Amino acid sequence: MTGLSARTVGLIHAFDARITLSPPHDVGDGPYGRRQYIEVTSVVIDGEQLSGRLIGSAGDWMIMGPGVHTRMDVRLQIRTDDGAIVLAHYFGPAEANERMRLAMETSTPTLFADQRIRTHWLLEAGDPRYDWVNRSVFVGEGRFHPGEDGAAGFEHRVYRVD
């Protein structure tokens, strides 16, 4: 393969996201599968270049697939610790397997390896200090991690593709 560069793609940890959810609302069967709407009640983003908290309303328009398979579709807004607003949309497959079901019943966290949760994050900002998020590709892995007062929640480790 002549003319191809030897450069490889790498991942750089960008931030961790702690998400707390309300109980799901069952929408029912639609054209893409069984849909649930889940309100996002709390978000904490913690990273060296990006940290902040949820502002406004946010939600997950999840599609329940066959067996243990689901597809997340989450949209939210973050006010950074220094006052900028960053819009976030993340989506991807999740595996609601037996380990996750047990963890949810007992309100105990899983390990990242206990289930397969993969996400693609799209971030958008108008503040010039955060223009780098507009030009970056982000991917993540997730795990069940109860939120405050035992509410359902997830933790995501998010990486910038380099």
Side-chain angles (χ1 to χ4, degrees), residues 9-47:
V9 173
L11 298 176
I12 299 169
H13 181 257
F15 57 88
D16 294 323
R18 293 284 305 270
I19 315 287
T20 306
L21 306 169
S22 71
H25 300 280
D26 190 43
V27 175
D29 292 327
Y32 306 107
R34 185 162 199 85
R35 179 80 69 175
Q36 288 186 339
Y37 168 71
I38 305 166
E39 183 181 355
V40 174
T41 59
S42 171
V43 177
V44 176
I45 302 289
D46 184 29

Side-chain angles (χ1 to χ4, degrees), residues 108-121:
T108 57
T110 61
L111 302 173
F112 284 99
D114 286 343
Q115 70 282 293
R116 198 167 161 78
I117 298 174
R118 300 294 184 260
T119 52
H120 174 195
W121 290 67

Side-chain angles (χ1 to χ4, degrees), residues 15-87:
F15 57 88
D16 294 323
R18 293 284 305 270
I19 315 287
T20 306
L21 306 169
S22 71
H25 300 280
D26 190 43
V27 175
D29 292 327
Y32 306 107
R34 185 162 199 85
R35 179 80 69 175
Q36 288 186 339
Y37 168 71
I38 305 166
E39 183 181 355
V40 174
T41 59
S42 171
V43 177
V44 176
I45 302 289
D46 184 29
E48 283 187 34
Q49 291 184 288
L50 180 63
S51 292
R53 295 186 175 276
L54 175 70
I55 60 168
S57 60
D60 182 354
W61 288 264
M62 182 177 290
I63 294 177
M64 312 298 288
V68 299
H69 301 286
T70 65
R71 183 157 294 276
M72 299 168 286
D73 184 2
V74 180
R75 293 168 194 249
L76 51 93
Q77 309 72 231
I78 301 299
R79 183 178 311 278
T80 64
D81 291 345
D82 57 4
I85 295 176
V86 176
L87 305 178

Side-chain angles (χ1 to χ4, degrees), residues 93-162:
E95 177 187 65
N97 63 19
E98 185 64 20
R99 284 186 181 168
M100 184 189 293
R101 189 189 62 73
L102 235 104
M104 292 174 98
E105 286 178 4
T106 59
S107 198
T108 57
T110 61
L111 302 173
F112 284 99
D114 286 343
Q115 70 282 293
R116 198 167 161 78
I117 298 174
R118 300 294 184 260
T119 52
H120 174 195
W121 290 67
L122 301 171
L123 302 179
E124 180 182 341
D127 189 307
R129 297 172 295 172
Y130 290 93
D131 187 53
W132 62 275
V133 304
N134 299 323
R135 300 182 320 273
S136 298
V137 173
F138 298 92
V139 295
E141 61 181 341
R143 69 182 182 132
F144 177 76
H145 195 290
E148 301 164 7
D149 300 329
F154 289 86
E155 179 179 20
H156 298 273
R157 286 193 293 210
V158 181
Y159 303 88
R160 183 174 55 81
V161 179
D162 182 39

